[in-house]
Amino acid sequence: MPENRDQVIERLRGHGITPTQQRVEIAQVLFERHQHLSADQVLARVNARDASVSKATVYNTLGLFAEKGLVREVIVDPARVFYDSNLDPHHHLFHVDNGTLEDIPVSQVNVDRLPDLPAGVAVEGVDVIIRVRRSGAAQ
Amino acid sequence: MPENRDQVIERLRGHGITPTQQRVEIAQVLFERHQHLSADQVLARVNARDASVSKATVYNTLGLFAEKGLVREVIVDPARVFYDSNLDPHHHLFHVDNGTLEDIPVSQVNVDRLPDLPAGVAVEGVDVIIRVRRSGAAQ
DNA sequence: TTGGGTGCAAACTATTTGCATTCGA
DNA sequence: TCGAATGCAAATAGTTTGCACCCAA
């Protein structure tokens, strides 16, 4: 998963995205490893590295990446959108205490959808989110 | 489900909520029927009825209701939180085109969760969201 | 009475947008 | 070159908060 500059560029091209400097910077941060980052976190990490990318560009770029299927948007926290660099099908565990996300492999949760959706619509995605909080005892 | 003033008051008391005028107004709107409303929509409907309730009170009250388990918060749209007056366990279908929510009975989706959550956490809820968009053909 | 509840307006925060400048092909 | 991408700052929009006034018990 850790990808070097060239692999990232190739990945962008593969998704029909012109690889500009700041897009490559952002993609490198995202694809360092499987992770869930908010736009603000991406901004901080990109600029901690070296290059400087503006806030607007980070937002626009993350939106573009999501639209092109490079990353997955995760809506679990009303306060912010997370971008998930793990493209394999999986579910999420959300720690409401600290606003942290964790992946859950599909093998751990079984969802059988019986197929009676309204006519004229196509499924864009199925999200399964398990919300947890620290239980009184441990931790 | 349509509840009159007295039933609403009783419901509030049952959840340990002091029934003030505006809380009753808001609850009456919510429990007219099973529905998914954003804070803004609640505000509009309450004030369309008669009484006037401020925006701050609507937000505070909906937060209180959610905390006390009177309504269920639904996080599917980064732009707004929905409040669901249907307390029975169920899942959601989200129309990304128009930002509309629909209930899906649990009988229609089967979720088997295999139990290996991190230690020290308790499940607060499991959300299943099916995101759909108008397919090119119909509609 | 009296502490919790409410209203208003101002504050906040995440995100979007307009427009002039810069860059990739 | 030239349109697409970027940066900046200002604009939006949902939600929260501070504080003085008011009402339910």
Side-chain angles (χ1 to χ4, degrees):
Chain A
M1 178 101 216
E3 297 188 349
N4 64 37
R5 194 164 198 92
D6 289 339
Q7 291 173 309
V8 162
I9 290 175
E10 197 175 319
R11 183 190 283 252
L12 292 179
R13 289 223 165 85
H15 285 259
I17 299 173
T18 305
T20 66
Q21 279 188 199
Q22 24 286 302
R23 286 175 178 174
V24 172
E25 289 290 337
I26 293 170
Q28 281 189 115
V29 165
L30 289 168
F31 295 112
E32 255 166 26
R33 58 192 184 78
H34 284 173
Q35 56 189 329
H36 310 93
L37 297 175
S38 66
D40 255 352
Q41 292 175 314
V42 171
L43 180 62
R45 293 207 191 176
V46 166
N47 291 334
R49 277 168 124 262
D50 48 52
S52 91
V53 179
S54 76
K55 179 178 283 201
T57 297
V58 168
Y59 275 96
N60 291 337
T61 299
L62 288 172
L64 177 71
F65 284 4
E67 183 192 322
K68 297 291 189 177
L70 247 189
V71 297
R72 176 171 162 189
E73 263 179 351
V74 184
I75 316 290
V76 276
D77 186 338
R80 82 199 90 257
V81 173
F82 285 105
Y83 294 88
D84 188 345
S85 58
N86 180 2
L87 293 176
D88 303 326
H90 63 278
H91 306 306
H92 288 112
L93 188 108
F94 182 61
H95 294 266
V96 298
D97 301 303
N98 57 21
T100 282
L101 269 176
E102 220 172 299
D103 282 354
I104 299 181
V106 283
S107 63
Q108 307 247 338
V109 180
N110 177 42
V111 181
D112 301 313
R113 201 167 43 64
L114 309 188
D116 48 328
L117 301 178
V121 302
V123 174
E124 197 181 75
V126 177
D127 295 347
V128 176
I129 297 146
I130 302 179
R131 291 172 197 278
V132 300
R133 71 166 62 252
R134 268 197 306 278
S135 54
Q139 194 59 227
Chain B
M1 178 101 216
E3 298 188 347
N4 63 36
R5 194 163 197 92
D6 289 338
Q7 291 172 308
V8 163
I9 290 175
E10 199 175 320
R11 184 190 283 254
L12 292 178
R13 288 224 164 86
H15 285 260
I17 298 172
T18 305
T20 65
Q21 279 188 200
Q22 25 285 300
R23 287 176 179 173
V24 172
E25 289 291 337
I26 293 170
Q28 281 189 117
V29 166
L30 289 169
F31 296 111
E32 253 166 27
R33 56 190 186 81
H34 284 175
Q35 56 189 330
H36 309 94
L37 297 175
S38 66
D40 257 352
Q41 291 175 314
V42 171
L43 179 63
R45 295 209 189 174
V46 166
N47 291 334
R49 279 168 124 260
D50 46 52
S52 89
V53 178
S54 75
K55 179 178 284 200
T57 297
V58 168
Y59 275 96
N60 292 335
T61 300
L62 288 173
L64 178 71
F65 284 4
E67 183 192 323
K68 297 290 189 177
L70 247 189
V71 297
R72 177 172 162 187
E73 261 179 352
V74 185
I75 318 289
V76 276
D77 186 338
R80 83 200 92 255
V81 173
F82 286 105
Y83 294 88
D84 187 344
S85 58
N86 180 2
L87 293 176
D88 302 327
H90 64 280
H91 305 305
H92 289 112
L93 189 107
F94 182 60
H95 294 266
V96 297
D97 301 300
N98 58 19
T100 281
L101 269 176
E102 218 173 300
D103 283 352
I104 299 182
V106 284
S107 62
Q108 307 246 339
V109 179
N110 178 41
V111 181
D112 301 314
R113 199 168 43 65
L114 309 188
D116 48 329
L117 301 178
V121 301
V123 173
E124 197 181 74
V126 177
D127 295 347
V128 176
I129 298 146
I130 301 179
R131 290 171 197 280
V132 299
R133 70 167 63 251
R134 270 195 307 275
S135 53
Q139 192 64 224

